[in-house]
Amino acid sequence: MKKRHHMVPKCYLQNFSDKEGFLWVLDTRDNIFKVKPKNILVENHFYTITLKNGEKSLFVEDTLANIEGAYAAIFENKISKDQFLTDEERARVAIFIAALYLRTKPQREGMRRMLQ
């Protein structure tokens, strides 16, 4: 079972990395450090859902992985080459952007509070 879930996808973070593949981070204590995209904004089981029967579900994580995969392919094949997107590709990019907004800790906690 996949347990390391990114709040910001690696495929997105990689676009901000330097030539060695590192991101430079300024944290809330004014510390500056470098880190690989795979090791930042990640939390164990962030999107894992516990079902009523006690089983763990990766439905949310798997859905986000599909959205990210579609975006990553479009970015690599079209956006990075400054090519026009089809209507379907534009829709997939829009879904990716919407997912970026909705997959944060504050959003998750707000939804949790609203549903309780």
Side-chain angles (χ1 to χ4, degrees), residues 24-105:
W24 288 89
V25 178
L26 172 65
D27 70 12
T28 57
R29 295 188 181 116
D30 289 335
N31 298 312
I32 298 173
F33 59 95
K34 64 182 181 177
V35 64
K36 293 281 187 176
K38 70 178 185 176
N39 294 321
I40 192 158
L41 297 167
V42 64
E43 187 172 309
N44 288 342
H45 296 290
F46 187 73
Y47 302 112
T48 302
I49 298 170
T50 303
L51 304 174
K52 286 184 179 184
N53 64 5
E55 288 183 32
K56 304 288 185 186
S57 171
L58 291 177
F59 180 79
V60 174
E61 173 65 14
D62 292 342
T63 300
L64 290 170
N66 288 334
I67 291 168
E68 292 165 23
Y71 165 78
I74 294 166
F75 184 87
E76 183 178 330
N77 297 321
K78 293 274 193 92
I79 296 171
S80 68
K81 297 174 182 174
D82 203 24
Q83 294 181 357
F84 288 104
L85 303 182
T86 66
D87 288 344
E88 182 177 337
E89 290 167 335
R90 289 164 64 187
R92 290 182 185 275
V93 171
I95 291 167
F96 175 78
I97 292 168
L100 282 177
Y101 172 73
L102 294 172
R103 64 189 291 171
T104 65
K105 260 187 184 181

